[in-house]
Amino acid sequence: MRGFMRYLEKTVPPLRFPEKYTVITGRTGAGKSSILDAITFALYGKTTRTDIQSVKLADVCRPNGYVRVAFRQGDERWEITRGFTTKKESYLEVTRDGEAVQGTIPDKERTIRDVVGLDYDGFRNSTFVRQEEMKELGAASGAQRLAVFQKLFRLEIFEQALERAKERFTTVKADIQAKEAEIAAREEALGRLPALRQQLESLDQERKERGARVAQLQTTLEAGSRELKDLEAKHERWVRSSAALEDRSTRLRALEAREAELRDRGQIAAKLEPERAALENEIEDLDRLREELDRLKETKADHQQRETAARAAGREFDLAKHEHEKRRDETKDRIDELHRKIASLRTDVDRETAFSSLRDEGRLEERVTRIARELEWLADRADLVRELSEEQARAEKALFRVHEKVASIDQDSFVLTEYKRQLEQLKDDLRREADDSHRLLQPLDDAKIEALRQLDAVPFTEMNEKRLELVGQSVLEKAGKRKRLDELTILLRQVGDVSARLADLAMQRQSLETERTVLESELAGLRSSEEAFGTAKARIETLQGELDAERKAWHLLEGQATTLKEQIAGLEADAMRLKESERQREALRGELEIYDVLVNRVFHKRGVVMYAVDQLLPELEIEASKNLSELTDGRFGRIRLETYEEGRGHGIRILVQGVDSEWHDVAEFSGGEKTQINAALRFAIARELASMPQIGRTFGRMKTLFIDEGDLGSLDTEISRELFVQKLLRMGEVFEKVILITHLAEIAERFPGRIRVTMTPNQESKAEVLS
């Protein structure tokens, strides 16, 4: 193994079971049972963990992990390797005598099932004895015990057969109902057959009458068409001449309209010429006024722009000046406040002066004391005594003044020092503010003056504003007159020479009137033939309409007749299908009776399931009683297994003859005694399963017995465990190999083959072959 469950590292050397009896030991949770899961994972791709739907194969085997299992079946050596690649893709490798078996994963899995002779459930339930199965046999419910027997002996297949039979019973019953509905529908449809045949005869008679009428109308229509064709040439001449006459009349009306329009335009032009001349005089100075208007607008815009800039410069200067005066006044107010605080203090001695006075006091006291000693030393020196006395007087006077200053020292001296420091700081701020204000305000003042100078350079007075308004109104009025002048000029140009154009139109009108007279004479000669053509055409259209209606009705009758023939043919065919449906219904009823027997008598728990269990129990009673006697050293020696039915439930009752010779249910015994009874039954079942003949992949002869824990921990005495181990070793008479998984170290010593499973500090399982 490698990367399987907690076996992260490769098991080196591989785990082998060369001995007939092998024990796998280790603490609970170390990974002992994972060895059995590894075997089923390699053979079938399943484990007891993955039997839980929420657990996937990828949860038990990591990427690049695998399990390799080798075994012999007859004279052939098989090797199975299943795992996942680093890309989490599953793979399965199968070799027989060193030669790889080809095919897909499902093909290889079918090969494994054929070689082993068991599918996953059959393999796991045959000789894999797990701890929970030992406990299930002693469960208090007889129905639960029956379920265990069905699971171990694969009798659940009968329950599956029951479900399949129930499904088929329901399906057949539904098929019968559908078939009866189909038969009833066919019988109802066949009842309409005589009426449909009679209706078809009536349609055939009416169809013949319609056909004769269609033929008669077709002959009359063809004769009328020949007559109409003879009149078509004259009709075409009539159409051409009529169109030409209409064209000449239309053109004459258009010429008359154009003549009237030209005459009107000539009159209008004569009236508009004086107006045009007057307008030319009035707009002579329009261009000059527009130039003046543009100049005034530019001057006004420049003046407004400079006026805005001057206002902005003035506002910026006033704002900066106001901010400076505000900061200056605030600083002065704070200085005045500090002066008031200093005046309210009880001393005028600050901290520096106090420290200096104290130093002076000590120095002068030392000096006075020193002079007094010197006077004592030099008392016989009159000249020095006089000089020292004067110096002493001066020192005492100075000391008196210092004493006065020291006397005025108190806690306000430190407050005074802080006030003076703040006062100096505010004075410095005031001086800096004065310097900064001059530096900042001067450029702003210069900018304001320059903006006013620029404004004065471009004046725009109230008189200029009035002139701008007057020129604008004049330009607007003269522009309207200019537009009117352009319109009159274009109109007069379009009118042109009216008299010449009127003469040309008169010639065109005379030519058209001549052509119209000729066409009117031609149409008078064709009028009688055109009237005959119209009459013939109307008659043809009437005949064609009648013929189309008759043909439509005749085709409709044809379609109805065809539909009726198809319905009659279908119903005649349904008569044969009706007999077949009745035969199928009888067959389904017979099948329904069979499935009714299977559901309610054969596959029911009262049927084949209980029959199979009853056939197994006598042999199991004998073998289990023998096993129990060996496991209890003769203290208990008889087990009785019997089926029972209670209401709708079925179960298996396990009775054991106690030391009082009375029969007791297994649930009444203690935990250790129940374990011995369960083990006796489970060993008997394993022997029975191992001795059954192989039947397909349902049962197969297994040569190895695996026991996972076996609930040995519940055996409370050393003798009980010893008897259990002895019985387990005697199972070697039936199996070629017996493998026990247990966490009890004292039991492991009885087995020649031993494998120890431990858990590392990194929570990894390690398997070590001890012997």
Side-chain angles (χ1 to χ4, degrees), residues 349-540:
V349 178
D350 59 12
R351 184 179 62 179
E352 296 299 329
T353 303
F355 286 159
S356 177
S357 298
L358 291 173
R359 286 193 297 270
D360 290 345
E361 183 181 36
R363 179 174 56 77
L364 290 172
E365 286 178 349
E366 181 183 0
R367 185 176 178 185
V368 169
T369 302
R370 178 177 58 77
I371 292 173
R373 287 198 301 271
E374 290 177 350
L375 287 173
E376 291 177 1
W377 295 340
L378 301 173
D380 54 347
R381 299 281 302 272
D383 54 342
L384 294 177
V385 168
R386 185 175 59 255
E387 184 178 349
L388 288 173
S389 297
E390 292 175 356
E391 182 179 356
Q392 183 181 24
R394 288 194 300 273
E396 289 176 347
K397 186 176 180 180
L399 180 62
F400 177 76
R401 290 196 299 270
V402 169
H403 278 320
E404 289 181 347
K405 288 185 179 181
V406 171
S408 63
I409 295 173
D410 60 10
Q411 60 184 4
D412 286 348
S413 298
F414 297 94
V415 177
L416 177 63
T417 301
E418 178 60 23
Y419 284 168
K420 287 182 176 181
R421 184 192 67 76
Q422 294 180 8
L423 187 62
E424 292 300 322
Q425 181 66 38
L426 290 174
K427 289 179 180 180
D428 292 340
D429 292 344
L430 191 60
R431 285 192 293 273
R432 281 196 301 273
E433 180 63 31
D435 295 339
D436 291 344
S437 67
H438 179 73
R439 179 174 55 81
L440 296 175
L441 291 177
Q442 186 62 41
L444 295 176
D445 189 36
D446 293 343
K448 181 179 75 172
I449 293 172
E450 179 61 25
L452 292 173
R453 188 182 297 113
Q454 293 290 334
L455 178 62
D456 293 339
V458 184
F460 192 81
T461 64
E462 184 179 353
M463 184 179 296
N464 296 131
E465 182 67 34
K466 291 180 179 179
R467 178 59 183 169
L468 174 63
E469 183 179 355
L470 179 62
V471 171
Q473 291 177 355
S474 179
V475 167
L476 185 62
E477 292 175 358
K478 290 179 181 293
K481 293 179 179 180
R482 166 69 67 83
K483 183 178 179 182
R484 175 60 179 167
L485 177 62
D486 293 340
E487 291 174 354
L488 291 176
T489 302
I490 294 171
L491 181 59
L492 292 173
R493 190 182 300 118
Q494 290 176 349
V495 171
D497 189 357
V498 176
S499 59
R501 296 178 66 185
L502 284 173
D504 182 56
L505 291 176
M507 292 176 63
Q508 294 180 22
R509 179 163 56 81
Q510 184 178 359
S511 175
L512 290 174
E513 287 176 348
T514 302
E515 293 177 1
R516 184 176 65 177
T517 302
V518 173
L519 290 171
E520 287 175 348
S521 299
E522 184 179 358
L523 287 174
L526 294 173
R527 190 175 305 281
S528 60
S529 61
E530 179 63 20
E531 292 175 356
F533 177 81
T535 302
K537 185 177 180 181
R539 185 166 176 270
I540 290 296

Side-chain angles (χ1 to χ4, degrees), residues 227-242 522-523 525-534:
E227 180 184 355
L228 183 65
K229 189 173 183 181
D230 295 337
L231 295 172
E232 280 182 354
K234 293 180 179 181
H235 170 70
E236 291 175 359
R237 287 173 58 194
W238 169 273
V239 171
R240 287 194 299 269
S241 298
S242 297
E522 184 179 358
L523 287 174
L526 294 173
R527 190 175 305 281
S528 60
S529 61
E530 179 63 20
E531 292 175 356
F533 177 81

Side-chain angles (χ1 to χ4, degrees), residues 601-645:
R601 299 183 184 180
V602 177
F603 293 134
H604 193 273
K605 287 190 176 181
R606 291 190 299 270
V608 68
V609 175
M610 297 307 295
Y611 174 78
V613 172
D614 288 335
Q615 296 302 310
L616 291 168
L617 294 185
E619 291 293 333
L620 291 177
E621 281 185 356
I622 296 172
E623 184 64 25
S625 297
K626 175 183 174 184
N627 294 340
L628 182 61
S629 178
E630 294 174 356
L631 288 171
T632 62
D633 197 18
R635 185 164 178 262
F636 303 116
R638 294 188 64 186
I639 293 179
R640 190 169 70 197
L641 304 174
E642 58 185 28
T643 60
Y644 68 91
E645 178 178 359

